[in-house]
Structures are given as structure tokens and as C-alpha cells.
Amino acid sequence: MEYIVSQKLFTEARKYIPGGVNSPVRACKSVGCDPVFITKAKGASVFDADGNEYVDFVCSWGPMIMGHAHPDIIEALHGAVVNGTSFGAPTPTEIELAAMVVEAVPSIEKVRFVSSGTEATMSAVRLARGYTGRNVVVKFDGCYHGHADSFLVKAGSGVITLGIPGSPGIPDDIVKNTISIPYNNLEILEKTLRDEELDIACVIIEPVAGNMGCVAPQSGFLEKLRSLTEELGIVLIFDEVITGFRLSYGGAQEYYNIIPDLTCLGKIIGGGLPVGAYGGKAEIMDNIAPDGPVYQAGTLSGNPLAMAAGIAALKLLQRAGFYDELEAKARGFAERLQNVAGASGVPVQLNRVGSLMTSFFTGEQVTDFDSAMKADTDTYAKHYRQMLSKGIYLAPSQFEVAFISAAQSENDLEKALKMTEWSFKNLL
Ligand code: KE4
């Protein structure tokens, strides 16, 4: 494959944009190559500026569960855009999408739309602090909740991908109110939450971690987290920006039947347009301005185009059998991928929850941040470059997930398996 045009574009982009990208992980630094510039996408395929076609397992980092440029979403956007693009005023479509979210997500009685997952999580934490009058946020090593100051402590996603401990520019006063503890460690969880020295406002967690690679909650972990936060009056926030409408129509909380106090959403609910949301018990949500004193606002919150795309996307997900079919497809693919890895002799741990999965290049089980960090990122990088050269578009980081979408065909998956088999033969 040639990447001549992408390379020219990357040089040009770096003149105007830091790192040539508008989000760090896209720069492909950790996988030892320059990014390809994508010009269009359709269904399971993305196309780069050199005209190369790829089977897409990034899915825009999660939103494109239906595949790219779905006709229903395109039609919804056409219908909306002719009426204008933004009004800065309440609109009927915000009510429609809000009602769909309230209906779908067990914990959500009221919901506020924002424009990104980061806005959703930072607002939910501010709300939890305002509602409890406490300051400390507990998060988990390797989980990523966006780039708000409070979260860049042992965070996942691009923070571990780039190997940066946190970020300059965040005052110690902020960091001291964030405590990060190991995922799946019940003993440290209980010890931390029961520490009376800490005035803990909330715990925020990815109910299935997707930002240290895919890491599932071990049996009893979420249940213990829920019972402890309930007992201690600590607000439990599920960050379902990835898992919301992904693991089931009601998200991870429906999938595991654990109901948090607040839930953060993003990605899928925008159908590819910029949307985030946070919601939960009315008793808590009614503390948000203008009804309550906790302030949060946004010029483009509830944007009519984003609402139209989100409504169309969720309607597609309501089809009977959708999630069963997605689970069967993902399970079948993962089983075959496991066989390829097993036959290759390459040490791979394949973690999968629903249509999220990660192949960790390590011989040990991956159950938390420390075990994830033992993965061989150089081998992942070589695998990434090999797969790209064969038309398979994976996440440019060992610490992200691959997404199965409704659009990938059996041929697409078969091609990915064949190229994986070829790659594994040429890795070591
Ligand atoms: P955004 O602000 O990027 O819309 O959402 C932040 C966020 C919050 N919570 C979770 C669980 C998330 O995964 C994210 C963002 N995910 C990353 C990739 N895993 C977005 C990709 C990027 O940073 O470019």
C-alpha cells in the first residue's frame, strides 16, 4: 500500500495543528508510523487519501455501531440540516432523544445533553460534588473519562498510549482530590471507600474498561462497588461513553443489572455527531441549573443535527434481535481469532465483552492496569502496521478496543482473520 498523499497531508497538517491531529491517539505515535488521512467511509469500510480501503475496527472509537454513513442517519441529517444547524434554543428533537435515553437506560430519570464525553463526565462529577458537598473523586487506574483536570490521574487511552504520567497544567489542588485505585481489587476498594479521612463525593468507573484495552469487571466487583457506595452515601457514576447502547440497549448497567446513581453517555447516542450526555435520579439531576445551583452550560448542547442523528441511530438499535446478532458475530469472530493466536505461538490474551475486544500481546491474564501494562507494545505496533498494510484498520494503540459493528460482513471478518494469521506468522 502507498500512503504518499496521507504523508503530504500529515506534513501540511503539522503546520497548523499540534501534532497534525485534533486528538493525540490519532497521531499513531505508539505504533511507529504516520497516520493515514481518511476521506470517506461507508458501512464497514474507511478510505484513505491514497484511495486505500480498510475494514474498520475503530468505528470512530465506538460511535459507528451501525457502520459508516448509514442511510437512515444520512436521511435524518438531510431532513434536519435544511431547517438550520443551530438555534441556541430548546427544540422538539431534544425532547425526543431525551425520552429515548430515559426509556432505555435504567438509572436515568432525567438527562442533560452536552457535546462530548468529557463534558458529560466532568459535569457529572461537578454535580456529585455539589449534591454531596464533598470533594474527593475516586477513579480506577487505566480508566479514562476524558481530559478534564480531575481525570488525568493514572488515566487510560491516549494518556497511557503516550506514556505520560498525567499532564502538566493541572494544579496539585485538583489532583489531590482525585484518588485512583486498581480496577478489580475489592480489598483496596473497600479500604479506600471506608477511609473516613476522605470526604468522597463520588466514584466514577468504566463498568467495562475500554481505555486500558478491554478489561471486564471480575465477578462481584461491580456488585461490591454498588453496595459500598449505597451504604456510604457516595454517588456512583457509570461512565458508559463506550458501553452505553453498545453492550445492550440499556448499556452495561442493564447487561450486569447494576444501577448507578449517575450515567455518562456519548459516542453512539450522537450517531457520529458530537454528543455527550449525563443523567440519573431526578433527585440528583434537579440540582443542575437552572432548577438547581450546580452550573453547567453549552452553546451547542442539544444541537439539532446531533439530536436527529442520535434519534436515527437509537431507532436502528431498537430492532428486535440486534444485540443478540451482534453478540453472536463478535463471539464467533473472537473464537476464530483465539484459534489463530493459539496456532501461531504468539503470546496473546484476548479479552472480550460483547462487541468490544482487545488482543493483548502478553502471556498473562489482563485484569487491571498493571497487567495490561505488561503487554508488548512494540509487537502490537508491528502488528498494527502489518494489518494496515493489508487493509485492516485497528486502533493505533495496544490500550484501546476493537469494535465489532453491524456493518462488518462475514467476508470482512474472514479477511481480518486471514491477515491476522499472516501477521502473526511474521511478527516474531
Ligand atoms: P470524548 O470527550 O472524547 O467525547 O469522550 C471522553 C471519554 C469518556 N469516557 C470514556 C469511557 C471514553 O472512552 C472517552 C473517550 N474515548 C477515547 C478513546 N477510547 C476517544 C478517542 C480519542 O481520545 O481520540
Side-chain angles (χ1 to χ4, degrees):
M1 275 194 183
E2 288 193 336
Y3 309 120
I4 297 166
V5 179
S6 279
Q7 281 161 354
K8 284 182 182 154
L9 289 169
F10 193 39
T11 302
E12 188 71 4
R14 294 171 67 85
K15 288 181 194 167
Y16 309 107
I17 305 168
V21 292
N22 284 305
S23 197
V25 72
R26 299 176 190 173
C28 294
K29 278 198 169 179
S30 77
V31 289
C33 61
D34 292 339
V36 293
F37 279 61
I38 302 299
T39 56
K40 67 176 180 176
K42 179 69 179 162
S45 294
V46 293
F47 300 83
D48 72 12
D50 291 275
N52 300 312
E53 180 177 357
Y54 306 89
V55 179
D56 178 25
F57 287 88
V58 178
C59 299
S60 184
W61 306 95
M64 310 324 293
I65 190 169
M66 296 308 299
H68 293 281
H70 190 286
D72 290 16
I73 294 176
I74 299 296
E75 184 184 348
L77 283 168
H78 275 313
V81 73
V82 293
N83 293 321
T85 54
S86 179
F87 316 125
T91 65
T93 48
E94 290 163 88
I95 305 169
E96 186 176 354
L97 186 57
M100 292 174 84
V101 168
V102 166
E103 171 72 24
V105 185
S107 62
I108 296 184
E109 294 174 348
K110 284 193 176 176
V111 62
R112 169 66 60 86
F113 291 116
V114 292
S115 298
S116 72
T118 295
E119 264 196 280
T121 55
M122 64 183 256
S123 305
V125 163
R126 181 182 307 134
L127 173 57
R129 284 172 160 156
Y131 175 69
T132 61
R134 304 180 201 157
N135 293 324
V136 171
V137 177
V138 175
K139 70 175 289 290
F140 294 86
D141 300 348
C143 286
Y144 176 75
H145 305 291
H147 64 89
D149 285 353
S150 300
F151 301 133
L152 293 180
V153 175
K154 294 193 84 172
S157 188
V159 179
I160 48 175
T161 296
L162 297 173
I164 48 183
S167 171
I170 301 173
D172 292 346
D173 276 359
I174 298 275
V175 174
K176 78 170 192 256
N177 281 315
T178 298
I179 293 175
S180 195
I181 57 176
Y183 200 84
N184 279 326
N185 186 315
L186 286 172
E187 186 189 339
I188 295 179
L189 172 66
E190 179 147 20
K191 183 169 177 289
T192 304
L193 297 197
R194 290 194 184 284
D195 182 341
E196 289 171 1
E197 298 281 303
L198 301 172
D199 66 327
I200 300 172
C202 59
V203 176
I204 185 167
I205 188 168
E206 292 180 60
V208 172
N211 287 290
M212 51 180 132
C214 180
V215 174
Q218 289 179 330
S219 172
F221 180 63
L222 293 178
E223 291 78 357
K224 185 69 176 173
L225 174 61
R226 177 66 285 184
S227 66
L228 279 169
T229 47
E230 198 87 57
E231 175 198 338
L232 298 165
I234 295 171
V235 174
L236 176 57
I237 303 172
F238 269 15
D239 177 350
E240 295 222 41
V241 169
I242 287 182
T243 56
F245 293 94
R246 166 69 58 180
L247 293 188
S248 77
Y249 193 64
Q253 57 197 266
E254 182 178 88
Y255 188 85
Y256 290 108
N257 194 24
I258 305 276
I259 313 304
D261 300 306
L262 293 176
T263 297
C264 302
L265 299 169
K267 299 185 191 269
I268 288 173
I269 64 165
L273 275 285
V275 182
Y278 64 102
K281 293 174 181 165
E283 174 209 340
I284 302 177
M285 291 301 291
D286 285 342
N287 285 273
I288 285 286
D291 284 354
V294 180
Y295 195 71
Q296 177 268 312
T299 302
L300 297 173
S301 296
N303 172 270
L305 305 190
M307 297 295 102
I311 290 163
L314 296 199
K315 280 180 178 172
L316 288 165
L317 299 177
Q318 289 174 351
R319 178 176 61 77
F322 174 82
Y323 289 95
D324 291 341
E325 291 162 22
L326 193 63
E327 168 60 23
K329 181 194 274 191
R331 185 173 58 247
F333 179 71
E335 284 166 358
R336 288 184 284 171
L337 188 56
Q338 192 66 65
N339 292 340
V340 167
S344 72
V346 176
V348 168
Q349 284 293 318
L350 178 59
N351 284 5
R352 176 183 78 89
V353 181
S355 56
L356 302 174
M357 61 184 81
T358 299
S359 298
F360 290 96
F361 285 84
T362 174
E364 296 176 36
Q365 268 208 332
V366 178
T367 58
D368 59 13
F369 176 72
D370 287 347
S371 48
M373 291 304 282
K374 289 178 182 164
D376 179 343
T377 51
D378 291 338
T379 302
Y380 181 85
K382 188 174 179 185
H383 176 60
Y384 172 86
R385 298 193 300 271
Q386 288 175 334
M387 295 295 275
L388 191 73
S389 73
K390 295 294 185 183
I392 305 297
Y393 194 66
L394 300 178
S397 162
Q398 169 69 92
F399 306 112
E400 297 286 354
V401 293
F403 292 95
I404 299 298
S405 78
Q408 291 144 350
S409 67
E410 178 51 28
N411 282 346
D412 293 325
L413 299 181
E414 196 50 42
K415 177 181 179 182
L417 289 162
K418 283 178 82 69
M419 292 310 134
T420 303
E421 190 171 20
W422 166 82
S423 167
F424 282 3
K425 285 200 175 98
N426 293 278
L427 262 187
L428 302 176

